[in-house]
Amino acid sequence: MSQRLIIQVFEQYQKSRLHFVQTVADLATRPQNSEILHNAGVMPMLRSLLLDTVPSIQHKAALALGNLADQSDNLAEALVKEGILPQLVQSMTSQNRFYKKAAAFVLRSVAKHSPDLAQAVVNCGGVDALVLCLEEFDPGVKEAAAWGLGCIARHNASLSQAVLEAGAAPLLVLCLVEPEMALKRVVASTLSDICKHTPELAQTVVDNGAIAHLAQMILSRDAKLKRQVFSALSQISKHSIGLAEMVVEAEVFPAAFVSLNDPDDYVRKNVAILMREVAKHTPELSQLIVNCGGLSKIVDYLGETRGQLRLPGIMMLGYVAAHNESLAMAVILCKGVPQLALCLSEEHEQHMKSATVWSLDQIGHHTTEHAKVVATANLLPKLLALYMDASSSEDLQAKSKKALKNILQKCTLVSALEPLLYDAPSNILKHVVCQFSKVLPHDSKARRLFVTSGGLKKIQEIDAEPGSALQEYINAINGCFPEEIVRYYSPGYSESLLQRLEGYQPEDSLHTPPAPPSEGQ
């Protein structure tokens, strides 16, 4: 009888422990409960249950700790201070797959919050334990481990280096060939987090054959996977010409352009980012994208998207145009300028406008033909307005000013220059007047239009310092017209004429009245 009672007591105790950790794990998933549980002293209780003899209780205890740490950095710090991580890591090698998944979840939940907490995971041997989990047969364990490594690596280059030094790169790349879609997604994301920091980290991943596997997945039907694949390829490409060339050599283009029409916004955005990161390096890489039809695809993409999704496409056009006048003309021929003008008018975020202005600068500063296209789109007054708008950010004002000066120095379109005579401040006005001084001496039609439209009159009203560059430009313009016309439009000329009239004394002979006609006449 006593033996049966003892067995019942132990069974009841085991059920109570299991019920306790299961309840805590469930409660910890709700943010409003996490602080209450912590204040009730649940972490020391869960720590002791990690050493329980029943595997299911150990598993649930780890899961509860992970749920708590996942809620906030304060709870994650409390878990670290409680000394739970070393105990958790030490037990991972000898436990079953369910416990390993839960333990990896705890490490991930702690590491994701800050570099310091991620470093705490590294210091307790968490990275090595997670890398060992990548060798497990169970894909769920691999996924949990890869996710944990990604949360560590994302913070900075030092933590990413710790992940690679533990031997993660070849095992992560091997996971890309696994059939499980969820595992592929997480691994691609982790590789992206590792590669983003430095060229050396990206090169290590590339040396383990990552590009070829990633390139094979760009036509996947799984949108979440494609997001991460294009992100990883972008992070690799951004660092150097060599890495970008390796991505291109994997025949990513033009296949990637198909995904610019993907229903998933983030897939499309990441493709545009990839194109931007490749195009920025050299004229040759930009030309390759142009030859594949990438420019027209990006212009269409800009027409179909709004907000932040447009940003990489806007910048991609600017990077292509910046290389040389031929590529800038390619952007023009693909109707890039009207599309950028539309972005400038539709987008209200300051950084979006700054990026658009920068791209227009890269297109318009090359030659008179390039500047003419930008000017014909009526963009010079808009750039001036952005520069003079007190509500514009410093960056937007600086970029607008630079774009105006660069484009004006190449612009010879009189009809586009003239409106700026009336609104531009002196530091911009001198560039406008300078262009007139270059154009008018060689164009008789422009000179006539300049007079009839009031431009010459406005020039005479400019108050320039004697001997300044602005005064020299004005003198050069005045030299294109007869002296009497210049005087006629000079300020005060009408008053001086009236003064001369008042002081004018006619000769008597001129005013002798004629004799009246005789009767016979």
Side-chain angles (χ1 to χ4, degrees), residues 243-265:
L243 288 169
E245 288 176 343
M246 293 181 74
V247 171
V248 170
E249 288 168 2
E251 299 182 356
V252 170
F253 303 117
F257 299 159
V258 175
S259 293
L260 283 173
N261 299 317
D262 196 275
D264 186 273
D265 287 343

Side-chain angles (χ1 to χ4, degrees), residues 103-173:
F105 170 53
V106 176
L107 297 177
R108 180 187 94 211
S109 298
V110 172
K112 75 173 189 178
H113 293 291
S114 70
D116 290 339
L117 287 169
Q119 188 63 55
V121 173
V122 174
N123 293 343
C124 73
V127 171
D128 293 322
L130 291 171
V131 170
L132 283 175
C133 287
L134 290 176
E135 299 180 8
E136 290 287 323
F137 177 77
D138 185 82
V141 175
K142 293 180 180 180
E143 179 187 341
W147 201 344
L149 292 171
C151 288
I152 295 168
R154 70 177 56 164
H155 294 293
N156 56 48
S158 175
L159 290 166
S160 288
Q161 186 63 42
V163 170
L164 293 183
E165 287 177 354
L171 294 173
L172 287 169
V173 173

Side-chain angles (χ1 to χ4, degrees), residues 168-194:
L171 294 173
L172 287 169
V173 173
L174 281 175
C175 288
L176 288 175
V177 300
E178 295 281 352
E180 287 75 19
M181 193 61 68
L183 178 57
K184 291 177 185 286
R185 294 174 193 152
V186 172
V187 169
S189 175
T190 299
L191 291 175
S192 179
D193 286 329
I194 293 171

Side-chain angles (χ1 to χ4, degrees), residues 279-355:
K280 74 180 184 182
H281 290 294
T282 66
E284 291 76 19
L285 287 170
S286 284
Q287 190 65 58
L288 182 143
I289 291 178
V290 172
N291 294 343
C292 293
L295 282 184
S296 60
K297 296 290 186 181
I298 280 291
V299 171
D300 292 342
Y301 167 81
L302 290 176
E304 296 165 359
T305 54
R306 295 292 182 274
Q308 296 299 319
L309 296 176
R310 277 177 161 173
L311 184 59
I314 291 169
M315 295 187 68
M316 185 265 181
L317 292 180
Y319 277 125
V320 172
H323 288 301
N324 56 50
E325 59 187 62
S326 174
L327 286 167
M329 186 56 69
V331 174
I332 290 172
L333 294 175
C334 288
K335 311 298 182 184
V337 171
Q339 189 60 66
L340 289 172
L342 195 61
C343 293
L344 194 62
S345 63
E346 291 180 346
E347 298 301 330
H348 302 293
E349 294 288 337
Q350 299 278 301
H351 69 283
M352 295 287 291
K353 288 183 179 292
S354 293

